[in-house]
Amino acid sequence: SSDETREAVFLRMSAWRAWVADELGCPHCMSGMGGHPRLGFHQEVALPNRPFALHIIGLDSGWLAGDDHDQGKLQITEDQIGRNATNGGKPLEGLRVALVHHPLGECADGTRAWKLLGEYADLLLRGHQHDPLAEIRRDSDRGLVELAAGCLYEGGEGHNYPNGMQVIDITTDDVGRPLAYDVRFRSWSPNGFWHDDSSLYSQAANGRLRLQASNENFS
């Protein structure tokens, strides 16, 4: 039955869920925490000296993953986004940062997912591709800033994917609406030290890039 299939799919994640909750010590990153009962999570964080909250919206893009031929078959689902990224269908108040592993373009419902996140999130942080990326995606009704992280471990492929990280400073207005993102790109040198990486974008002098993200730019 469909219920049995669903339970079998989610049973595959039980060991990982136990590791995150018990070994990693992050039970707040489990589904059912303020959002969808099965997929992702929503965590509201109070910010010191700020009149608004930070919303961390975790989205599970890998629950249907099975092998190296998943592209185009994964599902984030409208229900997962709606339950984790809204307050009963209304936008969350404050700064809204969404986390997901896969690029939205690799999901069967990626177009719908981006439109919903453009409405209900401000910043999307993701991984998977192992190459850093920074972009603003817009249409006439919505906008979303997306940052893809570099890798921190790549084994024998380290010559193709050098280790990297990003430091992100967000400037907001008084209610948490983002105005700009200042991104600092850092890469690991084969000689054994971190350095500011100016090689990613021509405008990222000294590894710094500013993305204007005010509401006016999204209108």
Side-chain angles (χ1 to χ4, degrees):
S1 68
S2 58
D3 288 344
E4 292 174 342
T5 301
R6 180 191 63 203
E7 294 305 317
V9 168
F10 286 115
L11 181 62
R12 303 181 310 158
M13 303 171 63
S14 58
W16 174 80
R17 290 170 57 85
W19 177 79
V20 171
D22 301 330
E23 300 299 325
L24 196 59
C26 297
H28 54 284
C29 294
M30 292 291 92
S31 57
M33 299 299 295
H36 196 282
R38 297 271 190 173
L39 299 173
F41 66 91
H42 168 225
Q43 183 76 17
E44 183 175 336
V45 181
L47 298 175
N49 304 315
R50 295 290 188 275
F52 57 86
L54 168 65
H55 296 275
I56 304 297
I57 303 159
L59 300 173
D60 188 347
S61 62
W63 65 283
L64 285 176
D67 55 31
D68 292 333
H69 306 285
D70 292 326
Q71 186 168 342
K73 302 175 184 177
L74 305 175
Q75 295 269 353
I76 296 177
T77 80
E78 183 173 340
D79 192 47
Q80 179 180 188
I81 296 175
R83 289 175 181 254
N84 291 318
T86 77
N87 181 12
K90 297 180 180 179
L92 298 169
E93 296 182 357
L95 181 62
R96 308 160 304 178
V97 177
L99 315 175
V100 72
H101 178 74
H102 293 90
L104 299 183
E106 294 194 6
C107 299
D109 59 349
T111 299
R112 179 58 177 161
W114 119 252
K115 289 183 177 180
L116 289 171
L117 290 172
E119 295 284 347
Y120 299 123
D122 303 306
L123 173 64
L124 177 65
L125 303 179
R126 67 165 179 85
H128 190 68
Q129 69 186 39
H130 297 203
D131 281 321
L133 172 146
E135 66 179 14
I136 300 177
R137 187 171 179 179
R138 295 188 180 97
D139 66 14
S140 60
D141 295 328
R142 59 189 65 80
L144 181 68
V145 174
E146 180 178 341
L147 297 173
C151 64
L152 287 179
Y153 176 74
E154 191 51 42
E157 293 295 321
H159 59 289
N160 293 325
Y161 302 107
N163 291 350
M165 60 178 289
Q166 300 166 7
V167 179
I168 307 164
D169 289 317
I170 305 175
T171 302
T172 72
D173 63 16
D174 292 338
V175 297
R177 297 294 78 232
L179 303 175
Y181 300 85
D182 289 289
V183 186
R184 182 182 181 185
F185 298 101
R186 301 277 285 171
S187 293
W188 182 253
S189 168
N191 294 322
F193 58 87
W194 289 100
H195 63 94
D196 292 327
D197 192 342
S198 304
S199 68
L200 301 173
Y201 295 100
S202 61
Q203 298 182 31
N206 300 315
R208 270 87 166 168
L209 182 68
R210 166 161 278 216
L211 301 175
Q212 297 290 344
S214 67
N215 293 336
E216 288 76 13
N217 287 342
F218 288 163
S219 61

